[in-house]
Amino acid sequence: MFSKKMLWGSLIALVLLTGTSGVTLAEIPAHLSQTSQFHRIEQPLGLKVGVAIGGLALIGLELWWFLLYKSSES
């Protein structure tokens, strides 16, 4: 079914695509890993609107591609 070479290649690709590294929580300094609260970062309204429009456009493209696209072969 799967060869060892294919399995290792898939695992390595997964690690590279997700950006996972060998750093563990024990290696992160204590003052960086333990924060008492989150800090709010306010984003400009134009950026929020742009991200929302981009997301809706991608959803629309996906719906068109899988539900409405008619190939010329059939």
Side-chain angles (χ1 to χ4, degrees):
M1 188 169 178
F2 286 108
S3 67
K4 285 185 181 182
K5 188 176 185 179
M6 185 180 203
L7 180 63
W8 279 110
S10 298
L11 288 174
I12 290 171
L14 180 65
V15 167
L16 291 175
L17 288 175
T18 58
T20 308
S21 66
V23 177
T24 63
L25 289 177
E27 296 173 358
I28 298 174
H31 69 280
L32 294 177
S33 65
Q34 298 175 355
T35 57
S36 59
Q37 64 185 162
F38 293 102
H39 300 283
R40 184 177 180 88
I41 300 174
E42 189 60 36
Q43 299 295 329
L45 180 62
L47 181 63
K48 292 178 183 179
V49 171
V51 168
I53 290 172
L56 290 173
L58 289 173
I59 290 170
L61 179 66
E62 181 180 355
L63 290 173
W64 172 80
W65 181 265
F66 287 108
L67 300 177
L68 303 174
Y69 179 73
K70 305 285 186 208
S71 67
S72 60
E73 296 175 8
S74 42

